[in-house]
Amino acid sequence: MIFEDLGLGPDVLKAVTDAGYRVPTAIQEKAIPVALQGRDLLGCAQTGTGKTAAFVLPMIDILSGSRAKARMPRALILSPTRELAQQTFENFEIYAKNAELDAALLIGGTSMRDQEKVLESDIDVLIATPGRLLDLIERGQILMRGVKFLVIDEADRMLDMGFIPDVERIVGFLPPLRQTLMFSATMPKEIRKLADKFLHNPKEITVAPPASPAEMVEQSLVRVANARDKGKALRKLLEGEAVGNAMIFCNRKRDVDSLTRSLRRFGFDVVRMQGDMDQRSREAALSAFKSGEAKFLVCTDVAGRGIDIFGLSHVFCYDVPVNAEDYVHRIGRTGRAGHRGRAYVFATPEDSKGLAAITRLIRRDIEEVTVDGKAAEHTAAPAEAEPDEADEAPKTENKGRRKKSAAKKDGKAKKADKAADKEAAQPRDDDEPAKAESRRRRKKERDDEKVPFGKGDHVPAFLMRSIVIDDDSKDARSA
Ligand code: AMP
């Protein structure tokens, strides 16, 4: 099938050709004719299947021909995250370049004033995250009565993020007579319930079995003995494989931060994205990653959701995700639009349950690989070390060898040490006493092992004394 067979108008077809698309993807082939008929649609499709064009292209066709009135948009696309909304907005601009339609992006973390100003002009399409849109509706800045075309994108993620009550309120402002398209990567029963509520006699379209991982992704499992070994294994893979660019997923925000610092210390071009960062920093990180200025993006699931990097070569699950479905979302960042991709998941013995949930969900085992030709052993697992603890000195190294290696340290390694010290002294959001104690102990051990550079064998005792940073009191001060 070709795009011309789908019933789209000439302006949209030209934009599609200019975008370099030759044939429609499966979801586009099935969804576009249905949407053009004006029917509601429930699409089960993963990211990377071309689902954005599947709803944006018919939307442009339907809206073309008439114009919006001020503050009365005619279509609304709801996205769970700012990044996905931003990406949909960028896609809209490409696909609607020959149509006289204007879109506004309404997302949190950016100036409310600017967005209010944009809404003063005639906007046809709103692309929004639920929270910011509700704020603007409640301030009386937009009238939703004219919205006749609604898209709820990544509905399962909306559910995970607790946005469904907001979505329900927003839908309450829309006219009941409208066309609604809902997309979801997975179809749990809560999503079906929502579909019953929001959609009217929808055509259901599934392009891949629910939660089946992208077929173009070669998946591998790296077993490591403990958290500390993950860092080493990751660096080996980043250095050894032909990694063009990669997203590296962590479960926790603070691990995103520490892994980023650690990788930087080892000279990798890394940026990070996690939910506590302000919108400007997130955008700066994303643009550095998209432009290739930074090869690696370390992120959490929420921040990394919906990010579409054309030709992303690798995905690393630094942690086994808490929800098995997130594994599918993570690896779906690569292997998109006909390109092959590679995904690695690192697992410690503690991750066996999480791993089993993934293999149950994807209905297959993940091929186990060894890094550096040596199988990681699943024995003794003193997994207390944090990800950024991975260093060039193995744990078993004795002090004598360590002295020798310290004397040989090049400038880069010294810099890395300095960064580690600075980091150890930094306040963290983790205030569990056991962990704080463990950090203090590790900092002390590091100080005790340190050989002052260029001081000879005799070192005044006061120089060798360790300084113990009281993390708890620091945390309390900075809270
Ligand atoms: P999506 O699933 O909407 O995030 O799209 C994934 C990627 O596929 C994006 O980079 C799109 O630009 C690309 N894409 C969408 N439709 C097509 C198509 N028909 N042919 C080639 N690439 C496409």
Side-chain angles (χ1 to χ4, degrees):
M1 192 177 268
I2 54 171
F3 275 105
E4 281 74 4
D5 298 334
L6 300 178
L8 293 163
D11 288 346
V12 176
L13 288 175
K14 181 153 188 336
V16 163
T17 311
D18 291 349
Y21 305 167
R22 281 178 302 162
V23 288
T25 64
I27 186 78
Q28 291 161 5
E29 204 175 298
K30 291 181 183 173
I32 292 173
V34 174
L36 286 174
Q37 282 165 18
R39 269 194 79 172
D40 281 4
L41 190 152
L42 178 61
C44 184
Q46 300 166 15
T47 50
T49 54
K51 71 176 163 60
T52 315
F55 59 78
V56 171
L57 298 180
M59 174 196 281
I60 295 168
D61 235 34
I62 290 167
L63 298 181
S64 295
S66 49
R67 292 289 296 152
K69 295 183 196 130
R71 297 185 193 283
M72 279 194 72
R74 297 183 293 148
L76 168 65
I77 301 172
L78 283 176
S79 304
T81 64
R82 298 165 186 179
E83 284 73 24
L84 181 63
Q86 172 88 40
Q87 210 159 271
T88 304
F89 180 76
E90 285 164 15
N91 283 353
F92 179 89
E93 301 272 272
I94 294 169
Y95 304 143
K97 67 178 199 173
N98 302 317
E100 281 188 28
L101 296 174
D102 290 314
L105 178 67
L106 306 179
I107 54 176
T110 53
S111 151
M112 188 85 122
R113 268 236 158 128
D114 290 351
Q115 292 181 357
E116 285 173 353
K117 248 194 177 152
V118 169
L119 290 171
E120 284 167 15
S121 56
D122 305 345
I123 295 294
D124 300 277
V125 180
L126 295 180
I127 299 165
T129 49
R132 176 55 63 97
L133 180 64
L134 261 182
D135 276 357
L136 288 159
I137 295 174
E138 279 161 0
R139 283 167 171 235
Q141 296 296 326
I142 330 168
L143 293 171
M144 303 304 282
R145 286 200 312 267
V147 173
K148 298 286 169 56
F149 194 103
L150 168 68
V151 178
I152 302 171
D153 197 11
E154 306 213 340
D156 51 349
R157 181 52 51 153
M158 298 265 194
L159 187 77
D160 289 351
M161 295 172 74
F163 288 160
I164 295 303
D166 284 356
V167 174
E168 285 177 326
R169 284 183 64 203
I170 291 168
V171 174
F173 289 104
L174 309 185
L177 261 185
R178 58 164 200 272
Q179 183 178 3
T180 307
L181 277 51
M182 190 160 114
F183 289 85
S184 192
T186 55
M187 224 28 96
K189 51 179 187 304
E190 293 94 328
I191 296 294
R192 293 214 166 267
K193 268 196 205 151
L194 277 183
D196 290 344
K197 206 166 172 183
F198 296 151
L199 308 177
H200 176 69
N201 186 26
K203 168 94 179 149
E204 203 170 316
I205 291 170
T206 302
V207 291
S212 71
E215 282 176 8
M216 298 299 282
V217 184
E218 199 177 319
Q219 302 165 61
S220 305
L221 164 68
V222 179
R223 288 194 189 273
V224 289
N226 54 46
R228 182 190 181 104
D229 287 349
K230 285 189 199 177
K232 287 179 195 162
L234 174 66
R235 293 197 305 274
K236 282 250 156 61
L237 287 168
L238 294 183
E239 280 161 356
E241 283 237 346
V243 181
N245 50 3
M247 286 175 81
I248 303 162
F249 286 91
C250 297
N251 289 354
R252 298 179 303 178
K253 295 173 202 167
R254 63 168 177 267
D255 289 343
V256 165
D257 297 347
S258 57
L259 180 61
T260 304
R261 284 193 296 265
S262 166
L263 288 172
R264 279 191 189 142
R265 288 204 304 270
F266 282 93
F268 294 97
D269 297 331
V270 195
V271 286
R272 72 187 170 113
M273 259 175 75
Q274 46 95 330
D276 285 347
M277 289 163 63
D278 62 40
Q279 186 60 15
R280 195 179 287 182
S281 320
R282 283 158 70 144
E283 276 170 17
L286 190 55
S287 107
F289 187 51
K290 278 187 169 175
S291 68
E293 200 183 306
K295 261 179 85 170
F296 309 109
L297 173 69
V298 183
C299 57
T300 52
D301 291 284
V302 171
R305 180 73 176 168
I307 290 179
D308 177 24
I309 305 293
F310 190 74
L312 184 78
S313 77
H314 284 66
V315 165
F316 294 91
C317 300
Y318 192 78
D319 298 310
V320 171
V322 178
N323 299 315
E325 275 156 12
D326 281 332
Y327 174 77
V328 179
H329 294 309
R330 288 178 182 185
I331 71 163
R333 307 287 101 214
T334 181
R336 289 156 86 89
H339 292 262
R340 291 207 74 80
R342 283 217 65 150
Y344 287 91
V345 55
F346 297 98
T348 66
E350 286 76 28
D351 292 320
S352 57
K353 263 194 185 160
L355 209 52
I358 291 172
T359 51
R360 250 196 328 273
L361 182 74
I362 64 173
R363 297 192 199 104
R364 49 173 279 197
D365 284 334
I366 306 172
E367 191 199 345
E368 203 172 319
V369 294
T370 54
V371 177
D372 211 10
K374 187 173 146 257
E377 281 171 5
H378 258 195
T379 48
E384 107 186 343
E386 303 228 23
D388 54 321
E389 282 294 291
D391 209 314
E392 71 270 41
K395 237 179 176 178
T396 49
E397 211 169 33
N398 65 32
K399 266 198 174 176
R401 273 183 64 197
R402 200 171 170 89
K403 259 190 188 179
K404 209 167 142 200
S405 75
K408 275 186 178 172
K409 257 180 201 154
D410 60 18
K412 198 171 167 185
K414 268 195 275 172
K415 234 166 104 190
D417 271 358
K418 230 169 141 184
D421 287 349
K422 207 168 135 204
E423 191 185 321
Q426 268 177 7
R428 306 199 188 200
D429 53 354
D430 171 14
D431 57 3
E432 291 168 48
K435 286 215 169 152
E437 174 54 35
S438 140
R439 273 203 305 279
R440 258 197 304 273
R441 204 176 52 243
R442 286 202 306 278
K443 161 94 178 96
K444 186 172 182 310
E445 277 164 14
R446 214 165 23 224
D447 287 346
D448 287 349
E449 282 177 356
K450 211 162 277 172
V451 178
F453 209 70
K455 296 278 179 197
D457 282 333
H458 174 73
V459 182
F462 75 91
L463 280 181
M464 293 298 285
R465 210 173 297 139
S466 61
I467 301 164
V468 179
I469 305 286
D470 184 347
D471 279 350
D472 288 340
S473 59
K474 256 181 113 60
D475 282 350
R477 275 202 307 278
S478 65

